[in-house]
Amino acid sequence: MMTTPARKRRRTPAKTQTWSSPRLEEWGLSQGQQRLLAVVGSVAGVLVAAVVLTFVIGSMSSDFVPERATAAAISTQPRPEAYKGWVSPKLFAPIARSKADPAPLTLKDVFAEKVLKEGRTTLKLAATKMDADCSAVVWGQGLADQLAQAGCTQAARGVYTDGRHVAQYTLLNLRDTASADGLVQSLTTMHRGGWTLLLESGRARFPIGGYTEASGHAMGHYVGLVWIGRADGAEPGAKDDFVSLSLAVRGAEKAVFRRVVAAGPAPAP
């Protein structure tokens, strides 16, 4: 008996490219602002960057070999067991130097949203704080010294929780991209003996000695530090989506993208 050959599916025609990106719309950027980002780095570049960011966060819990803390660096302060740093993409070239982006950060800008969502993850903001003395928000003399050398003028911290997890985001305002790149790379080993202090909150706290993961992201003259873990300190299990957790807390970076738009060139007529 002859069998009827399987019918081939027709490929759906590619949609016409537009200036709209759902991710950037979620971050509060109008189509005009998205067009300006296209002038800065091209819309394709923005979308690729978003994909890369997703992959970067995903790699934290998958295939990269983390730097582990050692007994020689035992501290009474909680710190990440695993860390990965990422230098600044070209997208952030308009804010490569703080002189091109002189307006100071505000808590209202960085932590405007009290609830952050990504997939099935929903984080609620538990506490925020802005410090002009960057050395006051870290422990470890080496890290404090590097922040001083990098010309750090502000450190904005926000801590979130969903009851099961804790996530802290720290945004550092440095001198330039070179300083930001140097910091995220140095933390690959420096995090063993120095890290950000956990912002005190009665609802969200990392237990000392518990397992946590972190990543550092240079964005022009800014550095964003993501720090996540379970509230009980246990390592992530099947019910713990650290990828979505990391992406959710990075919603605070909307403020940095808006500064790229503000500092970028006017769109061509």
Side-chain angles (χ1 to χ4, degrees), residues 24 52 94 101 105 128 132 138 154 160 177 201 225:
L24 296 181
V52 170
D101 175 38
L105 294 169
T128 62
V138 301
Q154 288 182 292
Y160 302 81
T177 297
S201 170
L225 297 178

Side-chain angles (χ1 to χ4, degrees), residues 153-168:
T153 57
Q154 288 182 292
R157 288 178 293 167
V159 62
Y160 302 81
T161 184
D162 62 2
R164 180 182 177 87
H165 305 96
V166 178
Q168 177 165 299

Side-chain angles (χ1 to χ4, degrees), residues 246-264:
S246 300
L247 288 172
V249 73
R250 292 191 69 185
E253 292 173 0
K254 298 175 185 179
V256 180
F257 275 81
R258 294 188 183 104
R259 285 170 179 259
V260 172
V261 172

Side-chain angles (χ1 to χ4, degrees), residues 192-213:
R192 298 172 177 177
W195 188 247
T196 59
L197 294 169
L198 179 65
L199 185 59
E200 292 295 333
S201 170
R203 294 185 293 154
R205 182 172 183 82
F206 292 126
I208 297 174
Y211 178 87
T212 59
E213 296 180 3

Side-chain angles (χ1 to χ4, degrees), residues 11 30 69 96 146 160 165 176 204 224:
R11 296 183 62 182
S30 67
Q146 184 158 355
Y160 302 81
H165 305 96
D176 51 30

